[in-house]
Amino acid sequence: MKHTYWLIAIFIFAALKLHAQGPPITADKPIMLGGGSFTVKTLTEIRKTEQGTFTYVPLMLHYLPSSNSLVAVHIPYIDFDLENGLSGSSLADIKIMGKYQFYRKDGTGKTFRMVAKSVQTLPTGESIDAMDLSTGKYSGYYGIVVGYESLKYGISNELGYNSMPDGTLDEFRYKLGFGLPLLKPQYPNKQVNLYFEYTNSWMTERDGYALLYAQGIQYARKNFTFDFAVQAPLVNDFTDGQKIKYSIFLGTRYTF
């Protein structure tokens, strides 16, 4: 029951704070660039859990066929060192993502948007039970991303469910991200942003729950973006070695 209270509290907080800015680091955003644009990005995660240590390095290729649609493929490499003595490195689970923006309302210096999102995870990785990294099992994620962005603040919300038919890592997920730009808007683009991001993860089959908080900073210059964030658990009731001690994120992105 306490897990439900945490979720309700964060939903209320999001509703009250719908004045906050993206793009987030560990969360997602509904804001899309113009049609025909292409982004090459990576977001390396160094994750320490009870099970072991994982270094996850994805190459992410994003393409926008139109201003309200996106298709992407994530090709990841993983290095792992487990407490049971197993270690190695290999290709992790490849992910194919699609997003469609079905609602948009713009104002002067602000915008509100809603996006449907799907991620299909292919069983190309090692079967090491590393949630959302490398499981060797197929899963399908379906969610909604809602965001508000202005010149001063921004906020992103994501609510979805990840289904793993042949495994036990089914997950109900809610993410909430706030952004605070430290510099005034300028051209060519130059920005430093702070991010405050929360991830609720409820493992429905294993009956585990975690609330993670990530503190991040981002530097954007023209078409390049550089990200850094540290994530730690506020609530940590995962089971079966999945308890997260901390994660470190390092990312870069180039859009053209």
Side-chain angles (χ1 to χ4, degrees):
M1 184 62 70
K2 64 180 180 179
H3 302 154
T4 304
Y5 293 153
W6 273 106
L7 287 173
I8 292 173
I10 290 180
F11 267 106
I12 294 173
F13 184 59
L16 294 175
K17 294 291 290 184
L18 194 59
H19 301 288
Q21 168 139 354
I25 298 175
T26 64
D28 202 352
K29 61 172 184 173
I31 311 299
M32 297 185 186
L33 303 175
S37 62
F38 191 86
T39 298
V40 180
K41 58 187 293 188
T42 187
L43 185 63
T44 296
E45 179 183 359
I46 302 170
R47 182 189 297 182
K48 178 69 174 178
T49 73
E50 285 187 336
Q51 185 185 5
T53 302
F54 307 89
T55 301
Y56 179 80
V57 186
L59 173 63
M60 298 181 275
L61 309 175
H62 290 204
Y63 174 69
L64 279 76
S66 66
S67 60
N68 63 350
S69 63
L70 178 148
V71 292
V73 59
H74 297 180
I75 305 173
Y77 164 89
I78 190 169
D79 182 87
F80 55 93
D81 185 7
L82 306 185
E83 294 297 329
N84 63 9
L86 182 66
S87 64
S89 58
S90 69
L91 178 71
D93 295 332
I94 293 176
K95 299 179 182 181
I96 299 174
M97 180 173 68
K99 293 165 66 175
Y100 177 73
Q101 180 182 279
F102 60 89
Y103 181 80
R104 173 175 178 174
K105 184 176 181 180
D106 296 330
T108 304
K110 59 185 178 181
T111 185
F112 177 80
R113 307 187 191 188
M114 302 178 72
V115 166
K117 173 181 177 180
S118 173
V119 180
Q120 305 301 307
T121 300
L122 307 181
T124 55
E126 296 280 348
S127 299
I128 53 176
D129 203 40
M131 185 174 65
D132 206 34
L133 302 183
S134 184
T135 64
K137 292 181 171 58
Y138 164 80
S139 66
Y141 173 81
Y142 308 93
I144 299 291
V145 183
V146 179
Y148 170 87
E149 189 168 309
S150 71
L151 297 177
K152 294 182 177 180
Y153 304 98
I155 184 172
S156 65
N157 294 265
E158 180 177 345
L159 179 66
Y161 190 81
N162 189 63
S163 174
M164 183 179 287
D166 297 325
T168 58
L169 288 175
D170 286 31
E171 178 194 11
F172 176 77
R173 184 183 306 164
Y174 174 62
K175 293 187 175 184
L176 172 65
F178 299 97
L180 177 65
L182 301 183
L183 303 179
K184 293 182 179 180
Q186 53 188 291
Y187 183 84
N189 180 48
K190 182 180 180 181
Q191 189 57 265
V192 177
N193 303 311
L194 292 179
Y195 291 96
F196 313 87
E197 299 171 349
Y198 300 85
T199 298
N200 288 267
S201 178
W202 197 332
M203 300 174 67
T204 56
E205 291 196 39
R206 298 191 184 184
D207 195 26
Y209 172 79
L211 171 59
L212 308 175
Y213 173 71
Q215 179 67 68
I217 187 168
Q218 179 186 85
Y219 174 72
R221 178 68 173 174
K222 296 183 179 180
N223 293 354
F224 285 94
T225 303
F226 303 93
D227 302 310
F228 174 77
V230 177
Q231 186 181 66
L234 301 178
V235 179
N236 205 5
D237 291 338
F238 277 163
T239 58
D240 301 325
Q242 296 288 345
K243 281 189 177 180
I244 296 175
K245 297 181 178 180
Y246 64 85
S247 287
I248 297 173
F249 294 89
L250 297 164
T252 186
R253 172 178 52 188
Y254 176 68
T255 299
F256 57 94

